[in-house]
Amino acid sequence: MSTVRPIPTTGTRFTRAAAWVVGLLLTFAVLPAAVHPTEARADNPIVQHVYTADPSPLVHNGRVYLYTGHDEDGSTSSFVMKDWRVWSSADMVNWTDHGSPLSLNTFSWAADNAWAGQAVERGGKFYWYVPVTVRGTGQFAIGVAVADSPTGPFRDALGHPLVENTEIDPTVFIDDDGQAYLYWGNPNLWYVKLNADMTSYAGSPTRIPLTTAGFGTRTDNPDRPTLYEEGPWVYKRGGLYYIVYAAKCCQEFIAYSTAPSPTGPWTYRGTVMPAQGNSFTNHPGIVDFKGNSYFFYHNGALPGGGGFTRSVAVERFSYNADGTIPVINMTNSGAPQADTLNPYVRQEAETLAWGSGIETEWTSDGGMNVGWIDNGDYIKVKGVAFGPGASSFTARVASASAGGTVELRLGSPSGTVVGRCGVPNTGGWQTWTTVTCPVGGAAGTQDLYLRFTGGSGYLLNMNWWQFTPGTS
């Protein structure tokens, strides 16, 4: 059997040195955050092993599902985007990688450019609206994919574009009366009323008037008198309709307008996020989750990051008393943790707050696994609620090499060791076995580091892990 591990074709490889570099870059690239010393917070950007862009959050059954674009590694002069990714979290800090359930290959009529979209749930099905260029014409159109689960797999709902007028960046909104609206556009702004099937529409697309009263005044481009640029995000709160969007260009900032109805008239309200973050584009996404409001965006803060290699981040915010949105700055600390993580139920290895050196892939054992693990790589999981203490640790692992050791450390990659699990050669990278080792000293709520050690080359894959509580 071969011990040669194929080199991944996508993903941002992190070494321990690179992890230090990103901390340094973030210190200078974004504004510092005020952090309560005992409060666990997210690490921004929230995904580190691949580049992500154009966030679209969806709250469903106690989790936030985050739909993103995917910038390929090494893109320096153009967008190279072939698929979309899905992530989810129960606490806004630890994010599970669900892989790519939608790609250009899903649409037989699509040629290129898997750009910014949005997913929504209706009637137990999930509809994902995305812009792509059409095979043969090279013009942009909006397709719709459908799935029975928020994590897919998604399939082309129509076999042809839903809307085709050369413009991009769809957002979808379902009003309280059940009427769904699709908005999109660059350089214009359009909407259409979707039918209840979410895959067809009534009437013709309507262009929203881009007035300076509605969308602010731009002075640097006579062809575009308003600030509206692209990436609209529409939602309703307290009887008021909001449209949040990328403004001006380039570098874009995030602005917003409000209206008494989903079709206007719109009134410009100002800046949500100033131009920041080493990316000439930005894209908003706003949701409420577990009693708080969250703003998603992207920047170029990871090593190798920039305008064509972006990364999604998140901040918690509170609306002003009059319903206006405060100015939100980028931070490297992100949102506070909304809940603790339970180590005594199965946790996917690809659920992490930070990953150093790791990649993820589809697994024969179901779902995703963490792989391409070298000596010194680690996974960080925040806010793990051990309670009185754990007695053992179990993990589902595989290895086609000599294997390695999983060190269980608290607080940092060099923190207190509370357990070590050896991983043998299992006969293949997808030949799975379960290993268990004793644990001592893991109590209270801690940040957990799974640090991998061993010889040279790739050591092991990990699918999931779980602790066993100690007996009183």
Side-chain angles (χ1 to χ4, degrees):
M1 80 215 121
S2 171
T3 60
V4 177
R5 184 73 163 153
I7 300 299
T9 56
T10 61
T12 307
R13 293 287 290 155
F14 263 35
T15 63
R16 293 182 301 283
W20 176 84
V21 170
V22 72
L24 182 63
L25 287 173
L26 285 166
T27 299
F28 291 97
V30 299
L31 298 181
V35 181
H36 191 281
T38 61
E39 184 177 50
R41 302 180 73 93
D43 287 316
N44 276 336
I46 60 176
V47 175
Q48 307 88 37
H49 56 278
V50 297
Y51 293 117
T52 54
D54 304 321
S56 164
L58 168 67
V59 176
H60 178 70
N61 285 349
R63 294 186 73 83
V64 175
Y65 290 87
L66 182 63
Y67 301 82
T68 73
H70 171 208
D71 290 333
E72 296 288 342
D73 289 5
S75 304
T76 58
S77 60
S78 64
F79 295 111
V80 182
M81 306 178 74
K82 303 175 183 178
D83 60 6
W84 297 267
R85 304 284 296 236
V86 181
W87 323 82
S88 73
S89 178
D91 59 17
M92 303 300 291
V93 167
N94 299 298
W95 290 89
T96 302
D97 184 348
H98 297 286
S100 172
L102 181 66
S103 73
L104 290 171
N105 293 332
T106 304
F107 304 100
S108 61
W109 48 270
D112 210 346
N113 297 321
W115 286 11
Q118 184 182 350
V120 67
E121 184 272 335
R122 186 167 198 167
K125 292 188 180 297
F126 298 83
Y127 300 88
W128 199 344
Y129 302 84
V130 293
V132 297
T133 49
V134 177
R135 189 178 304 279
T137 70
Q139 299 296 313
F140 268 102
I142 302 209
V144 56
V146 63
D148 299 320
S149 159
T151 58
F154 284 81
R155 58 192 182 275
D156 187 354
L158 295 173
H160 56 80
L162 171 64
V163 175
E164 191 170 2
N165 72 347
T166 75
E167 300 199 36
I168 60 172
D169 292 1
T171 182
V172 63
F173 162 70
I174 303 174
D175 207 349
D176 298 337
D177 62 2
Q179 178 61 61
Y181 298 82
L182 183 73
Y183 305 78
W184 74 100
N186 177 348
N188 301 296
L189 178 59
W190 301 81
Y191 81 88
V192 71
K193 290 184 177 182
L194 295 174
N195 294 325
D197 62 10
M198 302 297 285
T199 59
S200 63
Y201 56 85
S204 300
T206 299
R207 192 165 75 175
I208 296 173
L210 291 176
T211 65
T212 55
F215 295 91
T217 302
R218 183 184 305 197
T219 59
D220 63 335
N221 186 342
D223 295 327
R224 300 187 72 151
T226 75
L227 293 171
Y228 175 83
E229 184 73 21
E230 60 184 353
W233 181 269
V234 176
Y235 66 100
K236 183 181 183 182
R237 179 181 182 271
L240 191 63
Y241 296 83
Y242 293 72
I243 183 167
V244 188
Y245 47 90
K248 206 176 176 181
C249 187
C250 287
Q251 188 178 9
E252 293 175 344
F253 69 98
I254 302 297
Y256 79 111
S257 305
T258 62
S261 83
T263 60
W266 297 97
T267 300
Y268 180 65
R269 296 298 184 186
T271 297
V272 175
M273 176 170 279
Q276 301 170 345
N278 193 32
S279 169
F280 63 88
T281 68
N282 204 344
H283 188 287
I286 294 179
V287 291
D288 288 342
F289 180 65
K290 294 188 175 180
N292 291 292
S293 299
Y294 296 90
F295 178 77
F296 290 83
Y297 59 96
H298 68 229
N299 58 30
L302 289 184
F308 302 106
T309 44
R310 300 158 294 178
S311 297
V312 170
V314 64
E315 310 293 343
R316 192 179 75 179
F317 75 97
S318 297
Y319 290 88
N320 297 320
D322 61 358
T324 55
I325 302 174
V327 174
I328 303 168
N329 287 304
M330 299 183 186
T331 74
N332 59 6
S333 57
Q337 190 164 7
D339 205 348
T340 55
L341 184 139
N342 182 1
Y344 303 120
V345 298
R346 169 173 159 167
Q347 296 290 344
E348 298 301 317
E350 63 276 12
T351 297
L352 58 154
W354 194 269
S356 176
I358 59 95
E359 299 281 351
T360 60
E361 63 183 349
W362 296 108
T363 173
S364 64
D365 212 23
M368 303 284 289
N369 68 256
V370 171
W372 288 279
I373 295 170
D374 295 298
N375 179 56
D377 292 346
Y378 64 83
I379 294 168
K380 175 184 180 181
V381 186
K382 278 196 168 184
V384 180
F386 289 106
S391 62
S392 67
F393 172 83
T394 299
R396 187 73 167 167
V397 294
S399 179
S401 69
T405 300
V406 182
E407 296 181 346
L408 309 175
R409 293 179 176 266
L410 302 181
S412 77
S414 59
T416 302
V417 177
V418 295
R420 286 187 172 93
C421 267
V423 177
N425 181 311
T426 65
W429 296 112
Q430 293 293 315
T431 303
W432 297 95
T433 191
T434 303
V435 296
T436 300
C437 57
V439 171
T445 298
Q446 306 272 358
D447 289 349
L448 170 69
Y449 288 75
L450 308 181
R451 187 172 183 267
F452 306 101
T453 62
S456 61
Y458 298 125
L459 305 179
L460 59 101
N461 285 354
M462 181 179 288
N463 190 352
W464 53 262
W465 57 265
Q466 182 173 343
F467 284 84
T468 300
T471 56
S472 300

